[in-house]
Amino acid sequence: MHAVIIGSGLVGAASALALHQVGIQSTLYDQVDLVQAAIKSGGVGAAVDFGDSGGSVLLASNALRVLKTLGLLDLVLASSFPSEYTTWFKINGTAKIALDAVNVMKSGGETDPALMAPVQILRSRLHNILMQACQKAGIRCYTGKKLVSITEIEIGVVAQFADGSTATGDFLIGADGIHSAVRRQLFGDSCKAVFTGAIGHIGVVRTKENNITLTETCAFYLEREKKQTAWTFKVSEELAAVQVMTFDEPQPAEGEEYRPYSNLPKESTRLADLMASWGVPKHVEEMMRKSFRISPAAIYDLPNLPSYNKGRVVLLGDSAHGMVPNAGLGLLTGLEDVGVLLELFRRFPDQKDLSKVLELYSKIRVPKGHEASQKSRDMAKQYYTGSSNMGHFLLRVGIFLFNHNWIKFGEVYDCPAEVAAAVAAL
């Protein structure tokens, strides 16, 4: 079989590698146009989705399990930094609350010591690892391919692109993100993602070079009543990421998310000054002020879809369940999608079982996608609404309960076990 994969981001590339493991060939197609990006840059280094853009991503146990299955765990661990604790502060750095992330993973059912500590890794570095693995596996990627239509034929599915070219496969995977063209082809414009009004400005800074000491690997600074939020993430002994949320800026053009600001001095000063006016700790302010790259990320939320599959087409990642980013839930859920699809094809490798695989995938993943999206929405609401003092107190109580195993933060998601249970229920 051959798969057409629309979108060559993290989930798209991981999907191609997963299919390669079970002998299914695939080709990646992405609308990003590297030539146009270079022209628009006017001679300045252009950073697009295939380059250094975005900040860090958190990979917890469920995501690491899938990467281990793909044979990439060692590379990822060597390129990341363990994040054994997640911490919350009031906006000025007082009233620390710490979640023991390792204990949470253990209580949730993780038994592999190598997977118990979540890790922080630059999004661009993780993407490079995945794309280099695709290249090594002989998986081709074509850029400048903007999808305009999908047509099912008797023997497969045809993708039509804006440049007049086509791609034909036995099935098609939509992994083209929150503004998925594949999703719109399947379900219409009524399933478009909704802009939440928030924009995250993500900076990456060389901490060692700028004499910035970062003691927390993952920290949140909150002033709920004023909707003031800043985050810091330690990626290595030399690098870290910082993010600040704003709610009063215009919605960026679709597809422009994560494109680094071209006027870095202006934006770094503006955002650092804003953070300073909030009273964030000095090192957090300096992280934004000294960032060598800042990327804006408009925050969208996707209404729950009733299905992730239609005919020979299936949705993975943000195409299926784009959610307000929180605790790495978006990428984690997307990699779970990849793991489930891989296990289904392991069990049903014959082409005659293709429809069964895609339908079962949707049946297994829709409830989980809805659950993760709602959890993410609830977390965002907790950060941006209510009394600061009461909200921080309730957060402290909740983290205490998690740390002492009185309630569980979550369960480890075992893709083979989930698929086995679904198959047994047939």
Side-chain angles (χ1 to χ4, degrees):
M1 284 190 286
H2 184 89
V4 172
I5 302 177
I6 307 299
S8 62
L10 301 177
V11 172
S15 300
L17 292 169
L19 295 179
H20 179 73
Q21 284 203 354
V22 289
I24 298 176
Q25 297 181 336
S26 64
T27 308
L28 294 159
Y29 298 87
D30 203 292
Q31 69 175 352
V32 64
D33 192 322
L34 300 180
V35 174
Q36 285 301 314
I39 293 173
K40 288 181 180 179
S41 73
V44 179
V48 292
D49 286 345
F50 282 72
D52 291 331
S53 61
S56 73
V57 293
L58 177 73
L59 300 174
S61 172
N62 295 353
L64 295 174
R65 280 176 169 234
V66 175
L67 293 168
K68 182 178 181 180
T69 301
L70 297 180
L72 299 176
L73 181 63
D74 289 343
L75 267 175
V76 169
L77 293 180
S79 303
S80 59
F81 200 84
S83 186
E84 297 178 349
Y85 290 88
T86 299
T87 52
W88 292 264
F89 299 90
K90 290 187 176 181
I91 196 69
N92 61 1
T94 62
K96 178 179 177 179
I97 302 170
L99 173 71
D100 185 341
V102 174
N103 179 66
V104 163
M105 292 298 103
K106 289 173 67 176
S107 66
E110 184 54 69
T111 58
D112 188 340
L115 307 180
M116 287 180 183
V119 299
Q120 296 282 351
I121 185 172
L122 284 180
R123 178 186 181 276
S124 54
R125 176 57 184 146
L126 179 58
H127 193 215
N128 286 340
I129 289 172
L130 291 165
M131 292 303 290
Q132 287 170 10
C134 284
Q135 183 180 30
K136 186 176 180 180
I139 300 166
R140 303 192 68 177
C141 178
Y142 294 93
T143 60
K145 298 297 182 180
K146 184 177 181 179
L147 183 73
V148 294
S149 69
I150 298 171
T151 305
E152 286 207 33
I153 57 178
E154 185 177 352
I155 59 171
V157 60
V158 179
Q160 175 81 43
F161 301 106
D163 63 2
S165 63
T166 62
T168 303
D170 295 288
F171 64 102
L172 183 146
I173 290 176
D176 49 339
I178 193 69
H179 301 300
S180 173
V182 176
R183 183 178 67 240
R184 291 186 217 177
Q185 287 289 319
L186 293 189
F187 302 114
D189 285 340
S190 62
C191 65
K192 288 181 65 174
V194 178
F195 179 51
T196 64
I199 296 180
H201 306 269
I202 310 162
V204 182
V205 59
R206 298 183 181 93
T207 49
K208 189 173 183 179
E209 179 180 308
N210 288 284
N211 296 315
I212 297 172
T213 300
L214 199 61
T215 57
E216 315 293 342
T217 54
C218 178
F220 298 80
Y221 300 83
L222 309 171
E223 172 55 68
R224 293 168 179 82
E225 290 166 336
K226 297 179 181 179
K227 284 190 171 182
Q228 297 172 349
T229 308
W231 308 340
T232 62
F233 309 101
K234 189 172 184 178
V235 180
S236 71
E237 294 293 354
E238 290 80 28
L239 287 173
V242 58
Q243 180 170 332
V244 61
M245 301 293 286
T246 59
F247 294 86
D248 56 356
E249 299 187 43
Q251 179 178 353
E254 184 176 310
E256 292 298 314
E257 297 87 359
Y258 291 104
R259 298 282 177 88
Y261 286 119
S262 57
N263 192 339
L264 179 61
K266 175 184 175 182
E267 293 301 326
S268 62
T269 299
R270 176 179 74 89
L271 294 169
D273 287 349
L274 175 65
M275 296 166 75
S277 73
W278 293 353
V280 302
K282 187 65 177 178
H283 76 278
V284 179
E285 172 200 335
E286 284 299 299
M287 287 175 69
M288 185 63 76
R289 199 175 297 280
K290 299 295 178 62
S291 289
F292 63 83
R293 179 178 76 241
I294 302 175
S295 308
I299 308 302
Y300 291 85
D301 191 17
L302 178 66
N304 290 340
L305 299 180
S307 174
Y308 297 160
N309 157 248
K310 188 175 182 181
R312 292 175 176 264
V313 183
V314 66
L315 300 174
L316 277 72
D318 284 351
S319 302
H321 41 68
M323 62 190 75
V324 178
N326 265 311
L329 284 173
L331 178 57
L332 181 147
T333 309
L335 289 175
E336 289 175 358
D337 294 344
V338 174
V340 166
L341 192 63
L342 171 58
E343 293 304 322
L344 284 167
F345 274 120
R346 286 195 198 282
R347 285 178 172 265
F348 304 106
D350 293 337
Q351 188 166 354
K352 64 180 178 61
D353 291 321
L354 177 61
S355 61
K356 178 189 292 186
V357 166
L358 302 186
E359 290 168 9
L360 261 178
Y361 161 81
S362 181
K363 183 178 180 180
I364 294 170
R365 293 304 297 158
V366 165
K368 180 64 176 178
H370 290 181
E371 176 189 332
S373 295
Q374 190 56 51
K375 185 175 183 179
S376 185
R377 295 178 191 120
D378 291 343
M379 291 173 70
K381 185 177 180 180
Q382 200 273 337
Y383 288 166
Y384 303 129
T385 62
S387 162
S388 291
N389 288 333
M390 179 56 69
H392 212 67
F393 171 75
L394 293 175
L395 178 62
R396 187 179 296 280
V397 171
I399 298 304
F400 177 87
L401 296 175
F402 292 140
N403 284 340
H404 291 82
N405 301 325
W406 288 3
I407 57 176
K408 287 186 177 182
F409 187 82
E411 297 281 351
V412 168
Y413 191 85
D414 188 313
C415 294
E418 293 292 327
V419 169
V423 172
L426 291 177

